[in-house]
Amino acid sequence: MSILTGSAMAQQASGIEYPVTRQTDSTDDYHGVQVRDPYRWLEDDHSAATAAWVQEQNAVTRSYLSKIPFREDIEKRLSVLWNYPKTGAPFREGDYYYFYKNDGLQNQAVLYRQKGLEGEPEVFLDPNRLSASGTTALSSISFSKDHKYAAYLLAIAGSDWQQAFVMDLATRSLLPDKLNWIKFSGLSWRGNGFYYSRYDAPDETKKLSKKNEFHKVYYHRLGTPQEQDELVYVDREHPLRNAHVGVTEDERFLVLSTSEGTSGREIRYRDLQDAGQQDFKLLIKGFEYEPDVIDNVGGRLLVRTNHGAPNYKIVLIDPAQPEQAHWQTIVPEKPEVLINAVTAGGKLFVTYLQDASERMYRYDHFDGTGEAVAQAVELPGIGSVSDFRGRRDDRVLFYSFTSFTTPGTIYKYDVATGRSSLYSRPAVQFNPDDYETRQVFFNSKDGTRVPMFLSYKKGMQPDGNNPVLLYGYGGFNIPLTPSFNVSNLFFMEQGGIYAVVNLRGGSEYGEAWHKAGMLDKKQNVFDDFISAAEYLVQEKYTQPSRIAIRGGSNGGLLVGACMTQRPELFKVALPAVGVMDMLRYQQFTIGWAWAVEYGSSDNPEQFRYLIKYSPLHNLRPGTAYPATLVTTADHDDRVVPAHSFKFAATLQACQAGPNPVLIRIETQAGHGAGKPTSKQIEEAADVWAFTMYNLGMTFAEK
């Protein structure tokens, strides 16, 4: 069957008139293998033809969604559920405590401050005032050591490109300083200025797609133009490396971390008290392991590393003797993976994962002069901790705790007593006690035991007919721990089961778990996800006609691979901002950095396994695929939208069954970060309407 014939059949079966997507004769030679790429022209995000295609596809999608009878009811209910105060954990800077808060439906969270813990909160920085559409987001903020200034980064329309501004804290007025073309960077103060990372200014027409090369570190002195910033570091021999610097709290060390991709780092340092040291010196050679500097203890550096410890340990390193033989172990490796470590209040706090749920411990002695003894920090239950931070002299710390059915709740931690107490709990538009989460374990294709969280309304019966949303990620050493999302709560409210699978490729069980799902072992990730669906069917939770699968970015790749490998196992597929073209991803923006995780088609051996699962290249004409709603955005310069464009066009041409194949392309939005609340609700309403309609669900009034 030809592709065009398959497309015609799909249109007839679904009743949808898809736009005709022009095909070209574009073909590439990969190590002697000819691979067609007929929709290559969709990679040009500035062409009139691509713009017209986007408009036509969006029109078809809007038409389909508008005919779903309960789509508007879903948006109304989501707006009600979404409308509750969301507050971040306070953090201290000088005499003030700062915290983020969204009153409910504000497009962006507002940064507040109050003097002391009893002061009256006042608006410090409101991103909602910076753009009428709410698409300008505050991505990070950093305060000078003397607490006279704050430098912050703004992202516009979801792009990874950011601008830096500086505010006078006394007057809350902006300084003339404005820095451009910042990307993948923090802001780290030292004296009367700060360090940051950027690229050279790109060509305006290619700024959202061109490969990013030669990441540079600069020092900006307040009151000077960006052109006069001091170039601190650039590796001219290795254009495809990223570089970041940070200054320790006491301004003793400037720490440089470089990477060749998303795995592996090299650490260098400058002792700023040593006037004779003008260049960075090597502390830990890269790029085999994942070291990160936590803090310094006088003249030594406290480092979390997986060198000789796949589950991570914490060591003290003397820069004068940086060889591994001289490292002093402070926190040895344990069976559980150590995922985070911070110093605050003069203590060391570490977080472990136990079957993908977080546990926290405190160490009072971490200077190497005595044994470091762990004290458990009692957490409210099975869930995740975030925003835990503080300065060395803080005596009160705050953190946010969340689970699949509980929104972020703020706790106050007293350093002297070691006890947590409730600080603030959001007033939500539902009863969390109506829902529950349980963890199950199943065996993957090769016998590996994999955990999965199931969240649903109490009283759910495993009758083989429950609608399921199966979610996963499975890559880049990122764990999926319990976290709250009001959109997923809506699905549970409607009688659905929200299932999160802790796939290989993440860090749930340390570096061994990560490596078992990367490079030539990436198929394990897809096998885990497929086995999760089979387990849910086998255990009578659901059936294939009631399963939707969802994932974003690397998770979009997951959905694309699984729906092409087992199309009959799923009824709905929701790949979001996915990496769909595994042969060309490295050609765009920061895609080259993922080669350490995926491999590259430039390598003959790696090409052979990439083409076996690349979603774009494994679509087959005449196949009945699940009902698919591809989602992407026009300003996504992390995973460029061409991935989704080409996948959707090919899938529409190949689809032989009655299920719809649609693509939703958001405007003035990017990979996901900083997306305004209004756009989040609109997208969620579209996604749930499509999902529920194709799973045979009806909307239940609340």
Side-chain angles (χ1 to χ4, degrees), residues 359 383 463 510 539 546 620 645 692:
R359 305 287 188 272
D463 58 4
E539 297 300 314
R546 302 282 271 172
R620 298 289 179 258
F645 293 174
M692 292 172 61

Side-chain angles (χ1 to χ4, degrees), residues 597-617:
E597 181 83 10
Y598 296 141
S600 169
S601 60
D602 297 334
N603 179 301
E605 181 180 349
Q606 294 174 341
F607 161 76
R608 283 192 286 273
Y609 64 71
L610 285 168
I611 198 170
K612 287 181 180 179
Y613 71 77
S614 177
L616 177 66
H617 300 95

